[in-house]
Amino acid sequence: MGSILLPHLHTGWHVDQAILSEEDRLVVIRFGRDSDPECMRMDEILYGVAEKVRNFAVIYLCDIDEVPAFNQIYELYDPMAVMFFYRNKHMLCDFGTGNNNKLNWVLDDKQEMIDILEVIYRGARKGKGLVVSPKDYSTKHKY
């Protein structure tokens, strides 16, 4: 249900405009396929936190089949990836997984997502390009 209610970016131009147009809020974009079960679960989490974080973050969805322009640039090879931007700058977050560019697994807890967004936003406001996640996810997945 979350994927229906959150705003979609249907072209590369829309993605660029979403990133460029926000001056004071964090831009959160979920790249993936709307029909993918992982994306559906993450969309529910994102929809659940969207109202709570609206003062400092805006959340968009982008289907990687509909807008393939960013697949190679952002290395979108996973079924689902959440990326963060602030004032036209890609924000990196160290989750302890080795991939600081994006969040590519589904969070189970809305509060965890809120905490991550807050940490990234605070770091971005201070001019940092890389922030450390409030929780270490290095042992969550076995690679």
Side-chain angles (χ1 to χ4, degrees), residues 34-70:
D34 293 340
S35 60
D36 186 85
E38 281 187 39
C39 286
M40 289 179 190
R41 287 182 26 231
M42 189 56 140
D43 291 350
E44 288 299 317
I45 296 291
L46 292 171
Y47 175 70
V49 304
E51 187 65 25
K52 293 179 178 100
V53 301
R54 74 177 187 278
N55 291 332
F56 66 91
V58 59
I59 300 170
Y60 296 103
L61 307 179
C62 182
D63 191 301
I64 58 175
D65 292 330
E66 186 179 1
V67 186
F70 298 97

Side-chain angles (χ1 to χ4, degrees), residues 93-100 105 133 135-139:
C93 186
D94 183 3
F95 297 106
T97 61
N99 183 355
N100 297 341
W105 66 91
S133 169
K135 183 177 174 186
D136 185 1
Y137 293 94
S138 61
T139 58

Side-chain angles (χ1 to χ4, degrees), residues 26 56 86 91 114-128 131:
L26 186 68
F56 66 91
Y86 185 75
M91 293 300 300
I114 292 170
D115 294 345
I116 289 170
L117 295 178
E118 284 179 348
V119 164
I120 294 173
Y121 176 72
R122 286 191 189 122
R125 293 280 307 229
K126 293 177 183 174
K128 296 181 179 180
V131 297

